[in-house]
């Protein structure tokens, strides 16, 4: 019986052999550029290695112990968390409001949709460089404008002040990626039939009640998924942050990605093993958050029977 | 008492006019059915009454108050949608009480009204379920329940049964008929494609065509005295047979001739126009035709197909000029294909229409012709 089954699997693999041949290039690429680096990082994180020459000595979990005691690691961990806590709700919430507005019919609605989507297709690194000029305290147009209006009497050093830089980065990141989330929300809003709103209107609901008691609850499954996607995206802001602030001033915008990059490639004594340990540790943390979120999503779905 | 008055209402989308000069008065407690071919504007008119569609011309008054500019929520109307339009995230009970919650009704009263409506619609054991967990028929009953709980003076139904299968459609139709008796003071407007629904439920039927009213009347009036050829062909199933004819105007009335040797005893009179009358159409309902001898025949034709439907048989004949005629005969009929059949109809049951499709008055058809 068992043998027969085995035979049939082998036979089936053999009959479908063309499929596997066509899959080969993809498997090779993903293996080389995704699976291998992940596995290699796990291994490197157990080594005392600068990334050049022969792999260094196996030191077990020493890198992780150092990490645990490194205040700059926890600083970057905290920065990433602060970034998440501010950027995710802002991006998800603002995008929903915009999606509801842009779902309506009014003049130039297409123009607005395009306008909001434009930063999404701009390279993050370019956005970072351009924003440095725009937000420059000496001659940047934003400072020029707010000085003109008289709201402030000193130029605001958006990116150069340690207390402000991370929040400026949040703002720029939200602005850059808002369009894509707006698209997600608009797709989600399409799933609510128009006559449900009409029924709500006849039931006496005003616009605010329709939003909070009809739209939002119906969108809950989408909210959970969109938030999950955004959380994961918000842990990956390397390109923007590197060009915008490079992690400064005084490590105030050094998020995990920058921390890893600094230790692996730019510090005087590169420590690839240490950087790998940081990356792995953080990846584990993100996976945990994602797992909790997915667990909650399925729970809520079951509970609401959607 | 007039519940709804529609005065010269028209509707355009941009430059396209889809309704023109629709007027009618609907009394309180009346059950009105809008019928008409697809795209004739039934839903549009209903939605204008509900306040979901802007009125671009004329006026609609509810309880003697012009509501053109009132929002839907202020008109005191409840609507049952073809697609049910239930709130998917709410239980049956929450669906039914949403309007009451918004209006700030006390919980005790909400529960009482829900329980009343639920027992009326046999939904009591489903109150805690969500729409996903209900069958189509149950969902439609929840949608009706939502209207009942509102205690609105006017119920609007837009093809509420068209998503249900045939058996369920019949039983839900009966439910709606019962509802109509139980809520005798509630004015109901019901849109449908389905003739049976229209004939069985309506106090009065409004037949719409291409955005205007063709005729308003009780089911009997529309069936017996259609005001034009469109109504005659639209009401009644299978549709009335139409035969081209020529008219002869004589002193004591107008007679009609359909072909060589055909017998038509009916005498007609033009109703209000006196224009030149030469040719037009004769109409005979399939249920009014009977087999007869060749010398008394109004129509003679050859059998094409016999459809046996249990209680009746529907016989399709083709006649010499190439058109077809349908006849309803009681019980099973064994008629050989191609065999010759002669048919007559009582003179009082023959209809005539002038070249514009306007009905002539049948003088053989007693006094009940006046309407
Ligand atoms: N938003 C719109 N823009 C332009 N024309 C419209 C719009 N909505 C409806 N119409 C037109 O108005 C006419 C009436 O539509 P309506 O939906 O009232 O028809 P209906 O009688 O309900 O048809 P059905 O039996 O198929 O539901 C149709 O010719 C339709 O094409
Ligand atoms: Mg319709």
């Amino acid at each position: 019986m068992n043998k027969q089954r085995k035979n049939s699997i082998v036979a089936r693999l053999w009959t479908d052999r063309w499929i596997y041949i066509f899959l080969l290039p993809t498997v090779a690429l993903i293996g080389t550029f995704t699976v291998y680096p992940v596995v290699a990082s796990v291994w490197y994180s157990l080594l005392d290695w600068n990334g050049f020459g022969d792999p260094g000595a196996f030191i077990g979990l020493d890198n992780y112990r150092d990490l645990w005691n490194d205040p700059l690691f926890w600083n970057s961990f905290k920065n990433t968390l602060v970034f998440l806590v501010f950027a995710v709700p802002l991006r998800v919430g603002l995008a929903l409001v915009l999606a509801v507005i842009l779902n309506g019919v009014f003049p130039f609605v297409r123009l607005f949709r395009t306008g909001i989507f434009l930063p999404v297709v701009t390279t993050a690194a370019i956005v970072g460089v351009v924003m440095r000029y725009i937000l420059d305290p000496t001659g940047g147009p934003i400072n020029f404008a707010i000085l003109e209006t008289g709201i402030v009497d000193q130029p605001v050093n958006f990116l150069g002040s340690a207390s402000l830089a991370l929040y400026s980065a949040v703002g720029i990141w939200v602005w850059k990626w808002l369009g894509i989330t707006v698209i997600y929300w608009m797709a989600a809003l399409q799933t609510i039939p128009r006559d449900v709103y009409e029924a709500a209107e006849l039931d006496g609901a005003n616009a605010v009640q329709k939003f909070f008691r009809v739209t939002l609850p119906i969108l809950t499954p989408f909210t959970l998924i969109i938030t999950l996607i955004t959380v994961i995206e918000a842990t990956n802001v390397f390109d923007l942050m590197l060009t915008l602030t490079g992690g400064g001033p005084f490590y105030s915008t050094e998020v995990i990605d920058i921390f890893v990059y600094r230790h692996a490639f730019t510090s005087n004594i590169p420590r690839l093993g240490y950087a790998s340990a940081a990356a792995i540790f953080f990846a584990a943390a993100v996976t945990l958050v994602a797992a909790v979120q997915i667990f909650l999503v399925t729970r809520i779905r079951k509970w609401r029977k959607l | 008492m007039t519940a709804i008055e529609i005065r010269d209402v028209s509707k355009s989308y941009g430059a396209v006019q889809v309704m023109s000069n629709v007027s009618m008065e609907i009394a309180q407690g009346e059950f009105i059915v809008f019928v008409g071919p697809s795209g004739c504007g039934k839903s549009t008119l209903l939605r204008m009454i509900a306040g979901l569609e802007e009125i671009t011309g004329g006026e609609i008054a509810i309880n003697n108050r012009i509501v053109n500019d009132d929002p839907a929520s202020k008109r005191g109307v409840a609507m049952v949608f073809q697609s049910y339009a239930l709130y998917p995230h709410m239980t049956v009970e929450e669906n039914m009480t949403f309007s009451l919650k918004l209006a700030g009704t006390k919980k005790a009263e909400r529960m009482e009204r829900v329980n009343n409506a639920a027992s009326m619609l046999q939904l009591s054991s489903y109150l805690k379920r969500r729409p996903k967990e209900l069958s189509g028929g149950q969902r439609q009953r929840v949608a009706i329940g939502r209207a009942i709980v509102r205690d609105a003076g006017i119920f609007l139904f837009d093809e509420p049964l068209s998503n249900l299968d045939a058996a369920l459609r019949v039983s839900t139709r009966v439910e709606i008929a019962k509802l109509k008796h139980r809520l005798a003071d509630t004015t109901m407007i019901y849109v449908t494609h389905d003739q049976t629904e229209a004939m069985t439920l309506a106090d009065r039927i409004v037949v719409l065509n291409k955005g205007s009213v063709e005729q308003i009347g009780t089911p009997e009036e529309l069936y017996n005295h259609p005001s034009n050829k469109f109504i005659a062909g639209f009401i009644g199933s299978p549709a009335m047979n139409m035969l081209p004819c020529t008219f002869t105007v004589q002193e004591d009335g107008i007679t009609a001739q359909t072909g060589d040797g055909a017998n038509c005893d009916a005498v007609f009179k033009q109703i209000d126009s006196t224009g030149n009358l030469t040719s037009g159409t004769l109409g005979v309902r399939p249920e009014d035709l009977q087999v007869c001898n060749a010398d008394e025949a109004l129509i003679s034709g050859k059998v094409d197909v016999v459809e046996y439907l249990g209680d009746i048989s529907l016989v399709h004949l083709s006649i010499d000029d190439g058109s077809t005629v349908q006849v309803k005969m009681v019980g099973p009929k064994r008629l050989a294909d191609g065999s010759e059949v002669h048919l007559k109809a009582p003179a009082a049951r023959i209809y005539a229409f002038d070249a514009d499709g306007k009905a002539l008055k049948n003088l053989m058809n007693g006094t009940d012709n006046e309407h």
Side-chain angles (χ1 to χ4, degrees), chain A residues 219-254:
Chain A
L219 290 183
T220 303
F222 296 97
T223 311
L224 298 168
I225 295 294
I226 291 174
T227 307
L228 178 64
I229 294 172
T230 313
V231 164
I232 290 171
E233 283 181 6
T235 60
N236 184 10
V237 293
F238 174 73
D239 40 7
L240 182 69
M241 212 55 108
L242 189 74
T243 48
L244 201 60
T245 62
F250 314 118
Y251 304 107
S252 65
T253 60
E254 188 173 82

Side-chain angles (χ1 to χ4, degrees), chain A residues 12-177:
Chain A
R12 263 163 40 208
L13 283 176
W14 184 243
T15 25
D16 293 340
R17 59 194 178 279
W18 288 109
I19 294 177
Y20 298 97
I21 289 174
F22 284 117
L23 277 177
L24 211 59
T26 315
V27 170
L29 286 174
I30 290 180
T32 316
F33 295 110
T34 305
V35 180
Y36 171 72
V38 170
V39 175
S41 298
V42 173
W43 172 240
Y44 294 158
S45 75
L46 304 174
L47 304 180
D48 177 18
W49 185 35
N50 60 15
F52 303 103
D54 297 329
F58 181 84
I59 53 168
L61 296 176
D62 278 5
N63 279 331
Y64 289 94
R65 190 178 317 123
D66 284 0
L67 213 53
W68 192 260
N69 295 320
D70 183 347
L72 277 180
F73 171 72
W74 290 113
N75 170 62
S76 64
F77 200 91
K78 187 206 80 195
N79 282 342
T80 293
L81 279 187
V82 171
F83 193 89
L84 283 179
V85 165
F86 283 92
V88 173
L90 199 61
R91 181 172 152 192
V92 173
L94 205 57
L96 175 57
V97 173
L98 280 172
V100 170
I101 295 171
L102 291 179
N103 232 11
V105 184
F106 57 90
F108 304 121
V109 68
R110 278 167 187 278
L111 198 69
F112 283 112
R113 284 182 199 169
T114 313
I116 284 172
F117 199 70
L118 219 52
V120 174
V121 291
T122 313
T123 311
I126 292 174
V127 168
V129 173
V130 169
M131 276 299 167
R132 250 174 25 208
Y133 285 103
I134 291 181
L135 296 175
D136 193 84
T138 58
I142 298 270
N143 265 304
F144 181 75
I146 56 176
L147 278 173
E148 275 296 290
T149 59
I151 302 169
V152 290
D153 47 10
Q154 293 278 314
V156 182
N157 200 348
F158 287 104
L159 298 171
S161 137
S163 57
L164 204 57
L166 188 59
Y167 303 99
S168 304
V170 166
I172 292 164
W173 183 82
V174 168
W175 167 79
K176 162 137 184 31
W177 292 111

Side-chain angles (χ1 to χ4, degrees), chain B residues 13 18 36-45 53 82 158-159 191 193:
Chain B
Y13 290 103
V18 297
S38 191
C40 68
K42 306 179 293 288
S43 300
T44 306
L45 184 56
E53 204 79 65
Q82 176 177 358
D158 193 355
E159 307 201 31
V191 167
H193 268 107

